[in-house]
Amino acid sequence: MVTIIVGAQWGDEGKGKIVDVLAERADIVARYQGGANAGHTLVVEGKTIVLHLIPSGILHPHVQCVIGNGVVLDPVALRQEIAMLDAMGISVRGRLFISHKAHVIMPYHKLLDAAREQHQGIGTTGRGIGPAYIDKYSRVGIRVVDLLDRRVLEEKLRTNLAEKNALLEKIYGAERLDVEQIVAEYLEFDRYIDEFVTDTSALLHNALREGKQILAEGAQGALLDVDHGTYPFVTSSNPTSGGACTGLGIPPTAVARIIGLAKAYSTRVGNGPFPTELHDETGELLRRLGNEYGATTGRARRCGWLDLVALRYSVMINGITELALTKLDVLGKLSSFKVCTGYRLGNQPLKSFPADARTLDTVEPEYIELEGWQSSLDAAHTIEELPAQARQLVRLIEDYCEVRVSLISTGAERHQIVRRT
Ligand code: IMP
């Protein structure tokens, strides 16, 4: 059975912790899209661990981890992450499986990402994600399987570099890259990852046949989805639930649950519309209390109120069957807080989420205000043990989005969780 974990907002909803908690009862955690642009933060026994590529289930020794075909694999980031885990005494050997169909991030992807960003102003993470997906869909991408044959790799690289060097030099005024050096570097990388590479779709299908539990872990969030997000201020893949099937090679019929993660307030990194953004000291307070700084780039996240119009849209396009509400402890530190329950465009109420980023940029959010509780949630492990104001917020979300909140995270540590049966 497959459970998909999807970010229901603009990413950074706390997927690392929720996947880590759910991984206790899973056999496999499989990442289906994105690359090292993601930053999944876990706090275990006071120690903070940030993972960019390797699924957040890796901390559980019984869990197998898959990097699916939908991911764009950054060799540098992967090696750093494996080394970091090794240093912590966590071995990935025999437990990490990388799809031979995954596309590989090349040095020119990062250079092109940086160069294009100056013109486009999306606020990308600079990890080469967009250019790698462009090559995938242009059908010139280099996949993990291509690393196995030196001749194939060299040929593909020469063709790619002829175009990329012209772009870098003539359009972006950057330096040319050397084919030989890249071939040598990537052949060495192939030797390194060889033991992890396999047919991950077959692995997942076998696991399904054996009745195993698979968690499909998305990166980023639905509102950054290239099809359904706030285009063009989006990432270049499909974090929405449909991406799990294409990004892992599993059928929709295998999916039993889709858990959407939503933070009790909203954040966004990079540019693009954000109707409930707070430009005042309350926004700064949320940033400080929630430590809202990018796990990948260190950038300060833009902060604002929970947006139920956007969340309901996300529930719809993802087919979310239950919500996990995160960082409730942070919101409760405020004496009062707001929740957006509608948009206005001029004098017109707008109940749906607009497709056009410019329209979304001009909507006026309508709010209701709720009282904070300003007490610790540490002792709460059932919904009844939460303060009345927190329960009121949970009810509001459930009524508005027509979906149950089944998990509530009340802090960064594993034990700070409310589970509803
Ligand atoms: P890219 O994915 O690096 O191309 O960046 C495209 C947009 O997605 C930018 O606004 C990034 O800030 C945003 N983004 C990418 N990855 C994440 C993430 O893991 N969390 C939040 N925002 C992200």
Side-chain angles (χ1 to χ4, degrees):
M1 183 187 104
V2 177
T3 299
I4 301 175
I5 314 288
V6 60
Q9 296 159 319
W10 280 284
D12 308 315
E13 298 92 353
K15 286 182 284 290
K17 167 174 171 180
I18 297 294
V19 171
D20 176 58
V21 166
L22 294 175
E24 278 166 23
R25 293 181 203 165
D27 299 296
I28 299 178
V29 181
R31 173 79 185 271
Y32 59 85
Q33 46 70 234
N37 48 350
H40 295 168
T41 307
L42 302 119
V43 180
V44 181
E45 286 157 20
K47 241 208 261 158
T48 301
I49 303 150
V50 181
L51 296 167
H52 301 283
L53 268 174
I54 297 177
S56 313
I58 201 75
L59 302 190
H60 295 274
H62 73 278
V63 169
Q64 295 188 321
C65 286
V66 167
I67 295 182
N69 57 279
V71 172
V72 283
L73 188 73
D74 182 342
V76 181
L78 182 76
R79 289 179 92 143
Q80 278 172 353
E81 220 160 284
I82 293 177
M84 175 194 78
L85 290 167
D86 261 344
M88 292 170 58
I90 300 165
S91 173
V92 300
R93 294 201 162 76
R95 296 208 292 133
L96 177 65
F97 303 92
I98 298 174
S99 168
H100 52 7
K101 293 184 199 158
H103 282 246
V104 183
I105 301 252
M106 309 301 288
Y108 44 79
H109 292 141
K110 292 183 191 170
L111 294 176
L112 286 168
D113 196 2
R116 286 196 182 122
E117 181 53 29
Q118 289 175 16
H119 301 271
Q120 282 188 299
I122 287 169
T124 71
T125 58
R127 299 294 190 268
I129 307 298
Y133 280 112
I134 290 173
D135 279 0
K136 172 173 176 171
Y137 291 103
S138 292
R139 291 155 295 173
V140 296
I142 294 176
R143 303 194 297 171
V144 167
V145 67
D146 298 322
L147 302 176
L148 300 178
D149 186 328
R150 187 190 172 101
R151 269 181 321 162
V152 173
L153 176 65
E154 235 180 296
E155 201 182 298
K156 287 200 168 196
L157 261 177
R158 281 191 199 286
T159 316
N160 265 293
L161 276 169
E163 187 207 5
K164 267 60 170 195
N165 272 336
L167 272 174
L168 285 169
E169 237 182 355
K170 300 205 171 85
I171 305 215
Y172 299 117
E175 294 223 344
R176 293 176 70 80
L177 288 165
D178 180 51
V179 184
E180 306 310 329
Q181 195 187 326
I182 298 179
V183 171
E185 212 177 291
Y186 278 72
L187 284 176
E188 205 268 308
F189 174 60
D190 171 53
R191 282 190 288 277
Y192 177 78
I193 59 161
D194 202 43
E195 62 175 302
F196 306 115
V197 178
T198 190
D199 180 343
T200 50
S201 304
L203 182 144
L204 292 171
H205 279 266
N206 287 337
L208 283 172
R209 250 199 306 273
E210 288 165 18
K212 292 197 170 155
Q213 297 292 328
I214 299 170
L215 285 183
E217 176 185 287
Q220 290 85 46
L223 303 177
L224 288 173
D225 185 281
V226 68
D227 284 277
H228 301 290
T230 53
Y231 192 87
F233 301 98
V234 292
T235 192
S236 303
S237 62
N238 290 115
T240 46
S241 54
C245 294
T246 52
L248 293 173
I250 51 166
T253 45
V255 180
R257 289 168 80 192
I258 302 172
I259 304 179
L261 264 72
K263 199 143 56 175
Y265 48 97
S266 304
T267 61
R268 172 163 205 165
V269 205
N271 302 326
F274 183 179
T276 61
E277 182 169 13
L278 289 162
H279 297 280
D280 55 10
E281 63 274 16
T282 311
E284 269 166 44
L285 186 62
L286 275 175
R287 186 174 308 122
R288 190 161 50 76
L289 294 172
N291 192 24
E292 297 295 350
Y293 295 90
T296 299
T297 57
R299 288 181 290 178
R301 294 178 185 144
R302 299 158 64 193
C303 296
W305 299 124
L306 177 62
D307 182 344
L308 291 184
V309 182
L311 187 57
R312 186 165 59 183
Y313 167 73
S314 195
V315 167
M316 177 182 79
I317 53 167
N318 286 296
I320 288 170
T321 57
E322 56 200 281
L323 281 168
L325 186 64
T326 62
K327 292 205 160 179
L328 189 62
D329 54 316
V330 174
L331 190 68
K333 288 182 182 144
L334 307 184
S335 55
S336 69
F337 59 86
K338 291 183 182 172
V339 178
C340 167
T341 52
Y343 293 159
R344 269 188 179 276
L345 192 60
N347 286 330
Q348 294 298 317
L350 197 70
K351 284 284 179 194
S352 59
F353 194 72
D356 170 38
R358 267 172 305 188
T359 307
L360 191 59
D361 224 5
T362 51
V363 298
E364 271 299 317
E366 291 178 330
Y367 292 110
I368 57 168
E369 189 158 359
L370 300 176
E371 271 177 44
W373 45 93
Q374 294 180 295
S375 59
S376 165
L377 302 180
D378 276 0
H381 292 289
T382 65
I383 185 94
E384 292 75 25
E385 286 165 351
L386 286 174
Q389 300 92 324
R391 291 202 307 271
Q392 193 186 352
L393 173 65
V394 172
R395 235 183 349 260
L396 174 66
I397 295 170
E398 292 185 327
D399 289 346
Y400 196 95
C401 297
E402 296 178 88
V403 69
R404 197 158 180 272
V405 175
S406 63
L407 276 176
I408 300 166
S409 172
T410 56
E413 290 275 359
R414 278 174 177 166
H415 66 269
Q416 293 173 305
I417 195 112
V418 171
R419 292 174 202 258
R420 289 172 88 189
T421 45

